[in-house]
Amino acid sequence: MAQSDLHEPDVETSAPEEPKQGEGHQFDEENRLKPEFVRQVREALYDEIEDSVYDLVEPLHPADIADLFELLERRERNDLAAAITDLMSSDVVAELNDYVREDMVEALPPEAVAEIVGQLDTDDAVQLIEDLDHADQRAILAEVEAGDRAVIETALAYPEESAGRLMQRELIAVPDSMSVGDLIDYLRAEDHLTTEFWEVFVVDHRFHPVGTIQLSWILRTPRSVALSDVMKRDQTLIPVAMDQEEVALRFQKYALISAAVVDESGRLVGQLTVDDIVHIISEEAGEDALLMSGAGEGDINEPLRDAYSARVRWLVANLGTAVVASAIIAFFGAAIEELVALAILMPIVASIGGNAGTQTMAVTVRAIAMNQLTKSNTKRILLRELKVALMNGATIAVLIGIATALLFTPPLGGVIAAAMVINIIVSGMAGVLVPVAFERLNQDPAVASSVFVTMITDSMGFFAFLGLAVASGLAG
C-alpha cells in the first residue's frame, strides 16, 4: 500500500501534536465531544452549510472525527462524510465502528473510497471493504491500483477472522546471506519499504522464514557480522488459516511484538503485530460476554433488524426452557396450595442456583478461551468445580436453613437446606458441562450457554425443593 520516502536526512520532523484532554470548546472535562458542539455540527448539516461543517470538524483529531460519526444518525453521517471528504483520512477510517464505517463507505463515491484504501495498510483496507456486498466491492476495487487490488483480493480469499484476513503485507524480509551492514544499506537505499516495523524477517531461497532480527540488535551489532550469526532462529510462525482467537493466545503466551504469517507451504506471506492483537483481544472478550447472554453482537450501531434477529431467537429458546420449570411447579401445585411457604421460598432456591451456575459457567468459558481447559484436564476441572460447589452449597444451606427454621419451621429449614446443596452442586456441573458440550460440538462455548444453564438450575431447584417437601410429608 502507500508508503513514505525513507530518505529525509537533516530535516527535523515532529509528529502531529495530539489534542490535550479537555482542550478547546469541543471537549468536556473527560475529553468527550460536548453535546453543544455536536448540536452545532447537526445544525450546519441541516442548513446544508458545508463550509461551516468543515470549519467545525477540521480541528479535530482523527479519533475524535470517528467519535463524531458515531454520535450522529445514519442520514447525518452520510451528509457529514460528503461535507468533509478531504478530512476522511485513513486514520479516521481505521477508528470508525464497523457499522458506521460501512455507512460512510456507502455515502462516498467509489473513487473516494479507493483513494482512502490506497492510504491504508492491507489489514485496514480489507477491514474497510470486507463487509460490503460484492457489487460495492467490485466498484471500489476497480478504482484501486492494480498491485493493491491484487493484495486485497488475495486477503479477502482467506476465511473471516483468520490470520490471512488480519495480516499486513507490509514487512521487511531479507536473505540470510546478508551481513548487518548490507541490511542497513538496504534499509536506507530502498524507498519502497514500509516505514513502520519492529523486526526484520530473514528468509531462505524458498522465502521460508528462518529467523528474525530486532531493530535494537541491528543498531548495536557491527556491520561485518553475518545475519545468520545474530538472528534469532526460534520464532513463532502463524498459519494463514489460524483463527484470530488462537492467534491472540499465541501472542499472549509467547509475549510477541510481531510474528510471521506463513501459507500452507511455509512461505512468508505477511505479518501480524501486537496493535492488531490488542483489538482482537478486546473484540473477543466483548463477544464472549454478549454471546453468553444471547445478545448477538450487542453493538449500539447495529441495524435494528439484525439486533432483533440475534436476540429474539434466544428469548424464544428461553421461553421454552421457562415452560419446563413452570411444568415442574404445576406438577407440585397441590403441595404449594397446602403450604404457602413453599411459594415464598422457591425463588430463593432457583436464584441462588442460577447465580452459582453463572459463576461456574463464566470461569469455564474463560478457561476454554484461554486454552486452560482441554480434553486432557476436563475431568479434573469438573471435580474441582464440584468441590467448590459442595463447599458453597454447604455454606448457603446452613444460612438459609437456620433462617427458614426461625421464620417457619425446623423441618422446612432442613428441606430447603438440602435442596440448596443439591441445586448448587447441579449448577456447578451444568456450568462446566454445557460450555464443554458446545466446545466439543465445534460451537462457540459462550453461545447462549446461560439460557441452558438457567433452565437446568431453575428446573432442578424447583424439583429438588418441592420434591423433598412432598417426600418429607410437609405438603402434598
Side-chain angles (χ1 to χ4, degrees):
M1 315 301 284
Q3 301 297 338
S4 302
D5 192 340
L6 287 175
H7 295 289
E8 294 182 280
D10 303 324
V11 177
E12 293 186 2
T13 59
S14 59
E17 183 178 350
E18 296 185 2
K20 298 179 181 179
Q21 187 172 1
E23 183 180 16
H25 69 281
Q26 305 98 330
F27 304 98
D28 60 19
E29 62 277 2
E30 297 183 3
N31 203 36
R32 297 175 300 190
L33 292 174
K34 289 182 178 179
E36 295 83 1
F37 175 76
V38 178
R39 184 167 56 250
Q40 286 180 323
V41 174
R42 278 198 169 104
E43 291 173 352
L45 289 172
Y46 181 78
D47 295 335
E48 298 182 355
I49 309 176
E50 292 191 0
D51 290 342
S52 296
V53 175
Y54 192 95
D55 291 340
L56 286 168
V57 178
E58 194 272 335
L60 296 180
H61 186 274
D64 295 316
I65 296 178
D67 288 343
L68 178 61
F69 269 97
E70 296 180 21
L71 293 172
L72 298 177
E73 299 291 340
R74 181 172 184 177
R75 179 189 60 80
E76 295 171 333
R77 293 168 185 164
N78 295 344
D79 294 340
L80 178 60
I84 62 167
T85 302
D86 293 345
L87 301 178
M88 295 303 299
S89 65
S90 59
D91 293 330
V92 175
V93 174
E95 294 289 342
L96 286 173
N97 171 274
D98 290 345
Y99 291 105
V100 177
R101 183 188 298 115
E102 187 173 345
D103 289 342
M104 183 274 297
V105 170
E106 292 176 354
L108 294 175
E111 57 271 16
V113 180
E115 183 177 350
I116 295 173
V117 168
Q119 301 172 17
L120 296 171
D121 289 335
T122 307
D123 55 335
D124 292 328
V126 171
Q127 187 178 18
L128 174 63
I129 65 175
E130 65 179 348
D131 293 328
L132 301 176
D133 58 46
H134 292 298
D136 290 336
Q137 286 185 5
R138 288 195 298 270
I140 294 171
L141 290 175
E143 301 292 335
V144 177
E145 293 184 5
D148 293 342
R149 180 169 63 249
V151 170
I152 295 173
E153 289 176 341
T154 300
L156 290 173
Y158 293 113
E160 290 188 27
E161 298 188 347
S162 67
R165 279 285 184 99
L166 299 169
M167 69 182 181
Q168 302 175 20
R169 293 300 184 99
E170 297 79 23
L171 53 82
I172 307 294
V174 297
D176 55 2
S177 58
M178 275 188 173
S179 67
V180 172
D182 295 333
L183 174 57
I184 292 175
D185 293 340
Y186 171 72
L187 294 176
R188 291 174 176 173
E190 298 296 330
D191 294 340
H192 67 278
L193 298 177
T194 181
T195 57
E196 296 183 5
F197 58 97
W198 290 266
E199 61 183 349
V200 173
F201 298 99
V202 183
V203 296
D204 60 17
H205 67 282
R206 297 173 299 173
F207 215 72
H208 289 187
V210 294
T212 61
I213 303 179
Q214 297 180 4
L215 290 177
S216 57
W217 300 357
I218 297 173
L219 294 173
R220 294 174 58 87
T221 304
R223 292 177 58 90
S224 60
V225 176
L227 295 184
S228 57
D229 294 334
V230 72
M231 69 182 183
K232 179 182 177 183
R233 297 181 181 274
D234 183 22
Q235 61 178 314
T236 301
L237 303 179
I238 307 295
V240 288
M242 179 177 286
D243 183 82
Q244 65 176 21
E245 192 168 358
E246 181 63 28
V247 173
L249 289 174
R250 294 279 181 94
F251 267 72
Q252 180 183 25
K253 182 176 182 179
Y254 300 114
L256 302 176
I257 299 298
S258 62
V261 181
V262 295
D263 62 16
E264 295 79 1
S265 65
R267 189 174 184 274
L268 177 65
V269 292
Q271 71 166 336
L272 287 167
T273 54
V274 70
D275 58 320
D276 301 316
I277 304 305
V278 169
H279 290 296
I280 293 172
I281 293 173
S282 176
E283 289 176 3
E284 291 290 344
E287 180 182 283
D288 286 348
L290 291 165
L291 288 175
M292 286 176 65
S293 63
E297 294 188 19
D299 194 311
I300 60 174
N301 295 295
E302 185 179 15
L304 288 177
R305 180 176 296 179
D306 293 345
Y308 163 77
S309 176
R311 300 183 196 184
V312 73
R313 62 175 179 265
W314 292 113
L315 292 177
V316 172
N318 198 192
L319 178 62
T321 61
V323 169
V324 175
S326 298
I328 294 175
I329 295 174
F331 181 77
F332 292 99
I336 296 173
E337 290 179 4
E338 183 176 334
L339 187 60
V340 178
L342 297 178
I344 298 174
L345 297 172
M346 278 193 310
I348 298 177
V349 179
S351 176
I352 297 298
N355 288 336
T358 299
Q359 289 177 344
T360 307
M361 179 183 62
V363 172
T364 303
V365 169
R366 181 183 181 278
I368 292 174
M370 300 295 292
N371 278 347
Q372 295 174 340
L373 197 163
T374 64
K375 291 182 179 180
S376 61
N377 66 347
T378 300
K379 182 178 179 180
R380 178 174 63 84
I381 299 300
L382 179 60
L383 291 175
R384 175 189 180 277
E385 290 303 321
L386 283 176
K387 292 176 183 177
V388 173
L390 183 59
M391 291 187 290
N392 288 337
T395 301
I396 300 300
V398 170
L399 296 175
I400 191 64
I402 293 174
T404 302
L406 293 175
L407 293 174
F408 297 98
T409 63
L412 186 57
V415 167
I416 194 172
M420 192 68 73
V421 172
I422 293 172
N423 197 26
I424 290 181
I425 291 176
V426 172
S427 300
M429 294 181 62
V432 175
L433 295 178
V434 170
V436 167
F438 272 101
E439 198 267 340
R440 297 291 190 270
L441 294 172
N442 294 321
Q443 301 295 320
D444 192 325
V447 176
S449 294
S450 60
V451 173
F452 299 97
V453 172
T454 299
M455 178 195 71
I456 294 171
T457 56
D458 286 354
S459 301
M460 180 53 64
F462 294 143
F463 182 79
F465 181 48
L466 297 176
L468 288 173
V470 172
S472 66
L474 291 175

